[in-house]
């Protein structure tokens, strides 16, 4: 054959097996073989082999590497493995990831193994569980301070920040299970935290409305800003105009503050004397503001207008034509697709409506254009959802009590899971993880080969003893780990981490 696979073979079917009835010719090397008179006949060269190999999958390339020295060299080419990574993981764009000292091949093998172990979830073999204690009060919120990109060059490290009723903010090394730093005792209990991983900053707010910026590496306080009342929402935003913080307070005002200085950029009245919820779009170009179960319709602001206010002109915004809003989320794979749960016109049924947003330049300035994409009624038998997240561009995840349900934006129910014995308290959706008062985390994995993707229920991650703990209240994750907040019966909380193992360079998990 001289290094050429037979015509008619489909991509990915190589499998390292030579065609039946044909034998590999001895003396094949570098795409050349012995002719009938002992002469060397020219066969495929390096670039021709590279083109053929570009149609192969990872397992086939690994098999091709075992043929001879030239095939080994070609099958390990950087561009082949880079394209495999880009096809399998859309996040592998050069601008969004750091390879460090690892090659694209090493990255592919390590990430494939990581996904395999996360899908299997065998204790000790696939992950290590650690209980991390330190706070003397209840943990109210946690956020990862480390970037969530996959790295396998020995520099990967998972860090989280937590705030507690014990009036401290703390940073933790998830892999080591140790505290990195703790702030001095603050004037009041801390109730929320958001992070800027790129800037290595954590921002907290206490129950009296005092906002502070902390250096994530050393815990040094860098700036502060005091609200007139307590905060109802914090949102960290990475914008083209620069990083900024959005804060909603109980008076119904929306504040835009620079980061890290916490200088006031704008102050806008949203809902009079009503606690406001905030949600930034994936690209931080839009901000959704709502107040639950109110006759006041939710509003959507164009973010740039909050940062660059023109004197005597309100920010660019629109009010959606719905009422009694309860939950909302953005579609993560779309720049401006918003899904909102609300009551229908007579208030008797729950509806989920999907909108697309864009701006249009007019003679008077910039206008917001809202287009309704889809709308459907939730089943009457379904309890009103208390958690709502988006996946991709078409899928909505809803949590009602102890049930997790998946719908398309057009109302087709894709799946329903009853894996928990008690109510679900929190949900993380990059890989779907649910936390529950039954003292377990449930792990689900997406099958992205189907359209829309199908969610598979995999296994439970168990917490401590029911004698000492009342359940998980929060869950977050990154590429290498999962962290849950485990509430104790004595009014305190601990972190429970699950760190997944990767044997660098192993190809045992490649399909």
């Amino acid at each position: 054959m001289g290094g050429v696979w037979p015509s008619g073979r489909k991509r990915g079917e190589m499998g390292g097996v030579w065609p039946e009835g044909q034998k590999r010719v001895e003396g094949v090397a570098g795409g050349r073989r012995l002719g009938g008179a002992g002469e060397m006949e020219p066969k495929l060269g390096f670039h021709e082999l590279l083109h053929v190999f570009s149609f192969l999958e990872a397992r086939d390339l690994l098999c091709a590497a075992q043929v001879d020295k030239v095939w080994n060299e070609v099958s390990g080419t950087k561009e082949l493995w880079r394209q495999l990574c880009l096809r399998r993981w859309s996040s592998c764009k050069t601008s969004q990831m750091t390879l460090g000292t690892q090659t694209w091949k090493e990255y592919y093998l390590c990430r494939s193994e990581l996904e395999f172990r996360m899908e299997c979830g065998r204790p000790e073999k696939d992950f290590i569980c650690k209980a991390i204690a330190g706070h003397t009060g209840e943990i109210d919120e946690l956020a990862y301070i480390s970037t969530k990109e996959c790295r396998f060059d020995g520099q990967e490290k998972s860090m989280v920040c937590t705030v507690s009723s014990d009036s401290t903010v703390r940073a933790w090394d998830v892999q080591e299970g140790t505290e990195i730093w703790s702030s001095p005792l603050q004037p009041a209990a801390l109730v929320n935290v958001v992070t800027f991983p790129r800037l290595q900053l954590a921002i907290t707010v206490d129950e009296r409305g005092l906002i502070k910026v902390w250096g994530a590496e050393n815990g040094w306080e860098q700036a502060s800003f005091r609200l007139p009342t307590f905060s109802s929402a914090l949102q960290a935003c990475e914008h083209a105009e620069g990083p900024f913080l959005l804060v909603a307070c109980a008076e119904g005002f929306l504040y835009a503050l620079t980061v890290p200085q916490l200088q006031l950029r704008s102050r806008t009245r949203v809902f009079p004397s009503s606690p406001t919820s905030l949600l930034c779009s994936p690209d931080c170009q839009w901000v959704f503001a709502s107040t639950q179960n109110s006759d006041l319709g939710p509003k959507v602001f164009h973010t740039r207008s909050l940062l660059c206010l023109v004197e005597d002109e309100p920010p660019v915004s629109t009010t959606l034509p719905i009422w009694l809003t309860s939950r909302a989320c953005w579609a993560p794979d779309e720049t401006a697709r918003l899904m909102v749960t609300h009551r229908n016109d007579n208030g008797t049924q729950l509806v989920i409506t999907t909108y697309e947003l864009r701006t249009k330049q007019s003679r008077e300035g910039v206008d917001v254009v809202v287009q309704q994409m889809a709308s459907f009624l939730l089943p009457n038998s379904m309890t009103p959802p208390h958690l709502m997240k988006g996946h991709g561009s078409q899928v909505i995840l809803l949590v009602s009590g102890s049930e997790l349900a998946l719908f398309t934006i057009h109302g087709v129910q894709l799946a329903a899971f009853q894996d928990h014995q008690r109510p679900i308290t929190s949900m993380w959706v990059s890989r779907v993880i649910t936390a529950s008062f039954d003292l377990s985390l449930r792990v689900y994995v997406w099958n992205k080969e189907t359209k829309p993707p199908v969610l598979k229920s995999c296994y439970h991650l168990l917490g401590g003893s029911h004698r000492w703990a009342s359940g998980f209240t929060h869950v977050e994750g990154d590429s290498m780990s999962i962290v849950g907040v485990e509430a104790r019966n004595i009014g305190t909380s601990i972190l429970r981490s699950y760190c997944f193992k990767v044997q660098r360079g192993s190809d045992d998990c490649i399909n």
Side-chain angles (χ1 to χ4, degrees):
M1 283 184 62
V4 182
W5 300 107
S7 60
R9 296 296 297 272
K10 295 181 180 179
R11 173 183 167 186
E13 286 186 346
M14 173 179 151
V17 180
W18 293 86
E20 185 178 355
Q22 298 187 44
K23 297 182 180 179
R24 179 182 170 186
V25 179
E26 295 298 329
V28 173
R32 301 169 68 90
R33 65 180 174 86
L34 291 174
E39 298 177 356
M40 299 294 289
E41 293 182 0
K43 302 305 290 185
L44 294 185
F46 184 95
H47 294 291
E48 289 80 5
L49 280 173
L50 186 62
H51 175 72
V52 173
F53 285 6
S54 68
F55 294 94
L56 304 183
E57 298 294 349
R59 173 57 66 187
D60 300 332
L61 287 177
L62 294 173
C63 291
Q66 301 174 37
V67 172
D68 60 29
K69 183 178 179 180
V70 173
W71 281 41
N72 182 281
E73 181 184 355
V74 176
S75 64
T77 303
K78 167 186 171 181
E79 190 58 28
L80 290 176
W81 290 95
R82 178 177 174 272
Q83 289 302 320
L84 283 175
C85 289
L86 290 172
R87 287 203 297 265
R88 182 164 176 179
W89 302 293
S90 59
S91 61
C92 288
K93 296 177 181 177
T94 306
S95 61
Q96 295 180 351
M97 63 174 291
T98 305
L99 273 181
T101 59
Q102 65 192 335
T103 65
W104 283 104
K105 179 179 179 180
E106 290 169 342
Y107 180 90
Y108 188 97
L109 296 178
C110 288
R111 187 161 179 181
S112 297
E113 181 188 354
L114 176 65
E115 291 189 348
F116 173 80
R117 295 192 183 280
M118 283 192 161
E119 185 172 348
C120 292
R122 297 163 296 186
E124 301 303 325
K125 187 170 184 178
D126 293 323
F127 67 86
I128 297 175
C129 175
K130 292 186 178 181
I132 312 173
H135 280 296
T136 57
E138 294 182 354
I139 296 174
D140 284 309
E141 196 59 74
L142 82 155
Y144 272 81
I145 193 62
S146 51
T147 59
K148 296 189 177 182
E149 65 181 11
C150 288
R151 292 187 66 172
F152 308 100
D153 59 353
Q155 302 300 313
E156 62 271 15
K157 186 177 182 180
S158 296
M159 294 172 53
V160 295
C161 282
T162 55
V163 292
S164 168
S165 59
D166 66 9
S167 303
T168 65
V169 53
R170 303 180 189 227
W172 312 86
D173 185 316
V174 175
Q175 275 90 359
E176 297 296 327
T178 56
E179 181 181 295
I180 301 173
W181 54 263
S182 175
S183 71
L185 200 65
Q186 299 300 294
L190 301 178
V191 294
N192 205 350
V193 60
V194 295
T195 58
F196 288 83
R198 185 177 62 83
L199 301 176
Q200 285 294 283
L201 296 174
I203 301 181
T204 63
V205 63
D206 68 19
E207 61 186 4
R208 299 175 187 171
L210 178 61
I211 303 170
K212 288 189 176 183
V213 178
W214 308 88
E217 295 179 348
N218 49 32
W220 292 350
E221 181 182 328
Q222 298 189 10
S224 64
F225 183 91
R226 185 176 292 278
L227 298 170
T229 59
F230 72 87
S231 163
S232 58
L234 285 182
Q235 283 278 291
C237 300
E238 292 275 6
H239 193 269
E241 302 283 339
F244 67 97
L245 181 72
L246 287 177
V247 189
C249 74
E251 287 183 330
F253 283 92
L254 174 61
Y255 292 78
L257 306 173
T258 62
V259 173
Q261 300 88 355
L262 293 185
Q263 295 175 347
L264 182 64
R265 294 290 294 268
S266 66
R267 177 176 177 268
T268 306
R269 180 179 286 277
V270 184
F271 303 109
S273 302
S274 299
T276 302
S277 299
L278 300 176
L279 280 175
C280 279
S281 63
D283 62 356
C284 294
Q285 298 296 318
W286 302 92
V287 182
F288 174 79
S290 65
T291 181
Q292 275 200 17
N293 299 318
S294 169
D295 291 342
L296 300 173
K299 297 182 178 181
V300 182
F301 292 88
H302 192 227
T303 305
R304 194 173 188 278
S305 68
L306 293 170
L307 303 178
C308 309
L309 275 181
V310 179
E311 191 173 353
D312 298 328
E313 288 188 16
V316 177
S317 68
T318 189
T319 300
L320 298 181
I322 53 178
W323 64 308
L324 294 177
T325 304
S326 58
R327 294 288 179 265
C329 63
W330 295 93
D333 286 0
E334 301 289 336
T335 56
R337 180 171 292 180
L338 176 69
M339 292 88 86
V340 187
T341 304
H342 59 94
R343 291 283 176 180
N344 61 358
D345 290 340
N346 58 24
T348 58
Q349 285 186 285
L350 281 173
V351 182
I352 294 183
T353 302
T354 300
Y355 300 98
E356 290 274 8
L357 306 168
R358 61 181 178 89
T359 56
K360 182 178 72 173
Q361 194 70 36
S362 66
R363 187 171 299 176
E364 290 75 23
V366 178
D367 295 327
V368 178
V369 178
V370 180
Q371 179 183 359
Q372 180 176 315
M373 300 290 295
S375 187
F376 69 93
L377 293 171
L378 285 176
N380 289 327
S381 58
M382 187 174 183
T383 306
H386 61 278
L387 295 174
M388 180 178 181
K389 299 283 187 180
H391 175 78
S393 59
Q394 299 279 331
V395 178
I396 304 168
L397 295 91
L398 300 174
V399 170
S400 301
S402 59
E403 181 182 66
L404 169 65
L406 279 70
F407 291 86
T408 68
I409 61 173
H410 300 287
V412 177
Q413 184 165 351
L414 302 175
F417 302 95
Q418 284 275 9
D419 292 316
H420 289 288
Q421 297 177 358
R422 297 191 63 192
I424 296 171
T425 56
S426 180
M427 176 170 55
W428 179 63
V429 293
S430 292
R431 289 182 180 86
V432 178
I433 317 288
T434 53
S436 170
F437 281 133
D438 64 11
L439 201 52
S440 75
L441 306 176
R442 187 69 184 179
V443 179
Y444 302 84
V445 174
W446 292 104
N447 177 5
K448 297 180 181 179
E449 301 298 324
T450 61
K451 297 294 181 182
V454 173
L455 193 64
K456 181 177 73 171
S457 180
C458 293
Y459 56 89
H460 279 299
L461 295 171
L462 301 180
S465 168
H466 284 278
R467 181 180 179 184
W468 308 109
S470 56
F472 283 107
T473 58
H474 300 78
V475 64
E476 290 285 335
D478 68 358
S479 60
M480 306 285 289
S481 64
I482 298 168
V483 177
V485 175
E486 185 178 302
R488 295 300 179 98
N489 296 327
I490 55 176
T492 63
S493 300
I494 66 167
L495 297 178
R496 194 166 290 277
S497 68
Y498 306 85
C499 297
F500 291 84
K501 302 177 180 180
V502 175
Q503 304 295 325
R504 289 172 178 81
S506 170
D507 59 3
D508 295 337
C509 304
I510 305 296
N511 296 322

